[in-house]
């Protein structure tokens, strides 16, 4: 289990509750939204309304989002030991999980239908690295909201006795297939 520490579990729970509450805000009397809904970017950057340059850099490096095709937005946060250190999340168990695996927090957002019934993460998500397809080894649903499900998907860091991320790897692609009649969505992380 990724969240063995009660402190990290509580922090993730608070962030997910804030995310859900932010998305549930209603329009104000002038027809405009009172507040913009919380996003995975808020989670990545510590949910500050005024983002520092460091928070913006952190978000740009580790958080990716698609264009919301088919009425569903997919956001993914790559949880690495470097991200955990920069985000000041000092949990040894989560750090150990991220050191042994490739870990992503996935946030889906729609305003119609039930994504919990419509989409099977384990069957429809994969990593593409240097031409190799890597299937997830674990999916843990962290937020069971039909319009805003969120969870942790884990991929092995080693496949067939070879590291998934080689020393010449330039990019990592998270591919989401068959979500709301969109055959494929690709989120890309560039590796310096």
């Amino acid at each position: 289990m990724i969240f063995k520490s009660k402190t990290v579990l509580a922090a993730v729970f608070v962030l997910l509750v804030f995310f859900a509450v932010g998305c549930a805000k209603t329009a104000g009397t002038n027809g405009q939204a009172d507040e913009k809904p919380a996003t995975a970017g808020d989670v990545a950057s510590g949910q500050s309304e005024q983002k520092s340059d460091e928070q913006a850099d952190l978000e740009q490096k580790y958080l990716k989002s698609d264009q919301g095709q088919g009425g569903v937005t997919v956001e993914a946060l790559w949880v690495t030991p470097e991200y955990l250190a920069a985000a000041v999340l000092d949990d040894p168990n989560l750090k150990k999980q991220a050191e042994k695996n490739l870990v992503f927090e996935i946030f889906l957002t729609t305003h119609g239908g039930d994504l919990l019934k419509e989409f099977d993460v384990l069957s429809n998500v994969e990593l593409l690295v240097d031409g190799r397809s890597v299937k997830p080894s674990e999916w843990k649903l962290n937020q069971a909201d039909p319009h805003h499900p969120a969870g942790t998907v884990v991929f092995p860091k080693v496949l067939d006795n070879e590291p998934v991320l080689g020393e010449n790897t330039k990019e990592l692609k998270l591919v989401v297939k068959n979500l709301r009649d969109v055959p494929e969505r690709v989120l890309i992380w560039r590796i310096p």
Side-chain angles (χ1 to χ4, degrees), residues 88-153:
V88 194
L89 294 175
D90 187 28
D91 175 50
N93 294 321
L94 184 57
K95 184 178 179 183
K96 185 177 179 181
Q97 178 75 9
E99 287 172 350
K100 289 183 176 184
N101 299 285
L102 297 168
V103 179
F104 296 84
E105 295 291 328
I106 295 181
F107 305 85
L108 304 177
T109 301
T110 189
H111 295 286
D114 185 343
L115 293 174
L116 296 172
K117 292 180 181 175
E118 294 176 36
F119 188 66
D120 176 20
V121 172
L122 282 176
S123 299
N124 292 293
V125 174
E126 68 180 348
L127 284 180
L128 290 179
V129 183
D130 298 330
R132 285 197 313 178
S133 171
V134 182
K135 301 294 183 194
S137 58
E138 180 182 345
W139 164 250
K140 181 182 181 303
L141 185 65
N142 298 328
Q143 179 172 298
D145 181 315
H147 290 209
H148 306 282
T152 305
V153 64

Side-chain angles (χ1 to χ4, degrees), residues 173-189:
K173 297 178 181 179
L174 181 70
V175 180
V176 179
K177 298 179 180 180
N178 307 313
L179 177 56
R180 284 274 173 88
D181 298 324
V182 178
E184 188 172 277
R185 303 160 195 249
V186 181
L187 305 177
I188 301 172
W189 287 263

Side-chain angles (χ1 to χ4, degrees), residues 4-5 11 15-16 22 26 35-36 39 41 47 57 62 64-65 68 80 88 97 100 106 110 115 117 131 155 169 172:
K4 290 186 179 176
S5 165
L15 292 174
L16 291 174
T26 58
E35 295 179 29
K36 77 177 187 81
T39 66
Q47 297 182 339
D57 290 344
Y62 293 102
K64 302 300 176 189
S65 180
T80 67
V88 194
Q97 178 75 9
K100 289 183 176 184
I106 295 181
T110 189
L115 293 174
K117 292 180 181 175
F155 297 87
T169 300
L172 172 71

Side-chain angles (χ1 to χ4, degrees), residues 141-168:
L141 185 65
N142 298 328
Q143 179 172 298
D145 181 315
H147 290 209
H148 306 282
T152 305
V153 64
V154 177
F155 297 87
K157 236 181 193 175
V158 176
L159 189 63
D160 300 327
N161 295 320
E162 298 278 332
V164 170
L165 299 178
E167 58 186 55
N168 295 322

